[in-house]
Every structure is written in structure tokens, then in C-alpha cells.
Amino acid sequence: MVTVRHLGPNWYATVMGTAAVATAGCALPLPGLRPACTAVWALSLALLLTLVTARALHWRRHRDQARAHVLDPATVPFYGCLAMALVAVGGGALTVGRDWIGTRAAVALDAVLFTAGTAVALAAAVTVPYLMAVRHRVEPGQATPVWLLPLVAPMVSAAWGPLLVPHLPAGQPRETLLLACVALFGLSLLATLVMLPVVFGRLVTGGPLPLALTPTLFLVLGPLGQSTTAVGTFAEVAPGVVPGPDSRGFAVLAVLYGVPVMGFALLWLCLATAHVVRARRHGMGFAMTWWAFTFPVGTCVTGAAALARHTGLVAHAVLATGLYVVLVAAWAVVAAHTLRGLVSGALLAAPRPAPAAPRRATGRTTSGAVR
């Protein structure tokens, strides 16, 4: 089918961003918000099922293009989006989806999506860096925050996995899952700390990113907000699962780790926003990279909400609410542009041939998946 030939793995970002609106809203103590969040979660589930089906058709009928995506260093990191989409929708099932489908179905759905998403996340975290090292030809000047996507995927599993702990038999099954999520947290955090200096160094020494890629600067917020969310979730699940001293240690970690990391997240948010404003003034138009304005901000909402619960500070609750307003506004704008592009056919059209002397701001990829 021609309509899915140019459907890349980056489209899973639409699922991630939509699920973030639902789960982040559920984390806020705002009355009357839960029914709307449940409806948005249902939309994210529908988007996930649609995209999984479309991507299966893509691999079956356009295998050459699918392989081109894998061999494209600018596109293959987006396979991390598949993992995060699966886990995010699964986590949403337990937080808000259970209102519609019931707790038992929500647990079963989350278990399936969490298992599948974590498996994909671990595969992407190993395979994508391996391909970039041995098959792709990348240079330091090509580094972008997109490279973080497969490394952040295990952190999403670390943040949402503990929700399943209370539904396991008491004893070792619960402790095993909790500590497995802690291991995923460490895996993703250390990998991100290795990659982030490469991205930041490229930004400082190589100048601004191409216009179409400038929104990807918001992707750096993902590991920051999601890791803060994860340590907060560990502290809430740990009592009764791990020994008392370890449980108290998780509570201390939630604050001592979360507060400084959220501070850096706010610094990066200001930096990324400044770059986006500059890019907009230089003619940055809509691209699928605009979905980077959604999910990463959503992780900061849940991270700030976790800090509000553990510190009791109103400032963190206000921060979470303010960021959620930004998230909803960004999602509405990006979703409208995406729907318009789908209706017109522009977003799924074949990429235009590059000009003889391509401008620095084009940000094209060899497969055309990053538009």
C-alpha cells in the first residue's frame, strides 16, 4: 500500500504524546479531570492499535523501505518510540483506563504491553548503538537528541513497571519486579549520561540544529522527568515489598535525586524553548518532530507531581499544574497539524528530492521518516 510506504517508526510518538496527556493529568489533584484523561487514554490505545497494524503492513509490503529505515542513523533511533508507546499505554490502563475496562482487564493489558514494551526497549537499547557503531557512518556533527530515544525507553519501563508490583503474589515476585525496574532505571540513566554530553557538545560546538530538528531538544527532558517519576514510584511501592531500611532509602532517594534533576530539567526547558523560538523566527514549519513537545513535557509533569507528594511542597504541585497546561496546549496544536497533514496526504507523501546544495535547515533523512 502506497499510503504506508513512508510511515516510519517516528509515528509512534503520536501514541506517546497522547498517552502522556492522560497519565500526566491523572497525576494531578484536579477535580473533574479524570473522565477526560480516561477518554484521551482510550484514544492513545486506538492510535497504538492502528499504528501497530499499519507498521506491520509496512514491513510486509514495503520491506525495502523498512530496511532503509533501519540503515538510516537518523531514523533507527525512533524504534525506541515503539517501546515507549507500548509501556505508556499499558501504564495508562492501570492509572485511568481501569475506570472503563475494569481493574482485572487493565492489569492484564498492562502486563502484556509492559512485557512487550520492555523487551523492545532492551533490544533497541543494545541494537541501535551497535548498528550506529558497526553499520552506520555517523560523525560527531550529526549528533542530535534523537540518539537518546532507544536509551530512554528502559527508563519508561522503570517508571511504569512498579504499578504491577501490588498485583503480583507477595514475597519474591514483587521484590523481583521492583528491583528489576530499579535495574532498568540504572541501565537507562547511565546510558543517557554517556550520550548526553555528545549531544550537548554538538549543540555548543556545532551551532543550532537544523530547523526541522530543533524541537528534538525537548527530548532531553524525557530521561530527566521520567527518572524523577521512577524514583518517586519506587518509594511509593517499596513499603512492604523490600526490607524497612531499603524502603526508607527509596523515600530519601525520591527527594535527593528528584529535586536537583528537576532543577536541571527546568534549565533545559528554558534552553530548548529559546532554540525553538529562534528556529520559529527563522521559518521553522510543522514537522513530525513537533511531537517532542508532548511526551517529554508529560514526564516532567509526573516527575513534579511525584515530588509534590513526597515533599508536600505546594511549589511542586503548582509546577506540575503549569507544565500540564503547557502539555495540553502543545498536544492540541501538534495533533491538529498532524491531522491536517494526514488529510492532505503531505505527511505520508514521498520525500522531495534534496536540492543540489541543501540548506542546513532542511534536516532531511535518507529515509524521509523525519520530516
Side-chain angles (χ1 to χ4, degrees):
M1 296 176 63
V2 177
T3 54
V4 300
R5 177 168 177 78
H6 301 286
L7 182 74
N10 57 322
W11 276 82
Y12 285 113
T14 63
V15 179
M16 296 163 55
T18 304
V21 173
T23 54
C26 179
L28 301 177
L30 298 178
L33 193 58
R34 191 174 181 90
C37 290
T38 305
V40 175
W41 171 80
L43 175 61
S44 71
L45 177 61
L47 286 173
L48 177 63
L49 295 175
T50 300
L51 279 172
V52 167
T53 302
R55 285 287 297 165
L57 285 174
H58 181 270
W59 269 97
R60 180 179 178 181
R61 304 191 180 189
H62 304 289
R63 196 174 298 272
D64 60 326
Q65 186 71 2
R67 288 175 176 171
H69 288 162
V70 174
L71 296 177
D72 185 351
T75 304
V76 69
F78 284 99
Y79 275 95
C81 291
L82 168 58
M84 291 184 278
L86 291 168
V87 176
V89 173
L94 268 184
T95 53
V96 293
R98 63 183 182 182
D99 294 351
W100 280 10
I101 64 177
T103 299
R104 178 175 296 183
V107 171
L109 179 61
D110 187 22
V112 171
L113 294 180
F114 171 77
T115 302
T118 301
V120 175
L122 292 174
V126 174
T127 304
V128 174
Y130 175 80
L131 288 174
M132 294 179 72
V134 303
R135 294 292 303 273
H136 303 151
R137 295 294 180 265
V138 295
E139 300 176 358
Q142 295 176 290
T144 73
V146 172
W147 289 8
L148 293 171
L149 288 173
L151 305 179
V152 177
M155 186 67 78
V156 179
S157 294
W160 291 111
L163 295 181
L164 288 168
V165 169
H167 300 281
L168 293 177
Q172 288 209 7
R174 292 185 180 183
E175 185 174 0
T176 298
L177 178 57
L178 177 59
L179 294 186
C181 291
V182 175
L184 290 170
F185 166 85
L187 179 160
S188 180
L189 178 63
L190 294 177
T192 299
L193 291 177
V194 170
M195 185 64 73
L196 188 55
V198 178
V199 175
F200 187 69
R202 152 67 183 85
L203 186 65
V204 172
T205 62
L209 294 175
L211 297 184
L213 292 177
T214 301
T216 64
L217 289 172
F218 275 73
L219 294 177
V220 177
L221 297 175
L224 303 176
Q226 201 66 276
S227 62
T228 303
T229 303
V231 293
T233 308
F234 297 159
E236 292 161 10
V237 173
V241 176
V242 295
D246 293 343
S247 176
R248 292 190 292 273
F250 278 123
V252 173
L253 178 65
V255 176
L256 294 186
Y257 175 89
V259 172
V261 170
M262 187 57 61
F264 180 68
L266 293 177
L267 169 65
W268 192 273
L269 175 62
C270 294
L271 176 65
T273 300
H275 275 267
V276 168
V277 170
R278 173 195 172 275
R280 190 65 172 164
R281 289 176 177 174
H282 284 74
M284 181 187 74
F286 174 73
M288 286 298 291
T289 51
W290 280 32
W291 281 96
F293 297 143
T294 58
F295 187 78
V297 176
T299 68
C300 291
V301 174
T302 55
L307 286 176
R309 293 192 299 272
H310 289 286
T311 64
L313 293 178
V314 175
H316 286 133
V318 172
L319 174 62
T321 302
L323 289 173
Y324 187 69
V325 172
V326 173
L327 168 62
V328 172
W331 179 84
V333 171
V334 177
H337 278 285
T338 303
L339 183 59
R340 187 179 302 118
L342 279 174
V343 172
S344 67
L347 288 180
L348 291 178
R352 294 184 298 271
R359 295 176 298 171
R360 184 181 181 181
T362 56
R364 303 299 297 179
T365 69
T366 59
S367 68
V370 182
R371 307 179 68 84

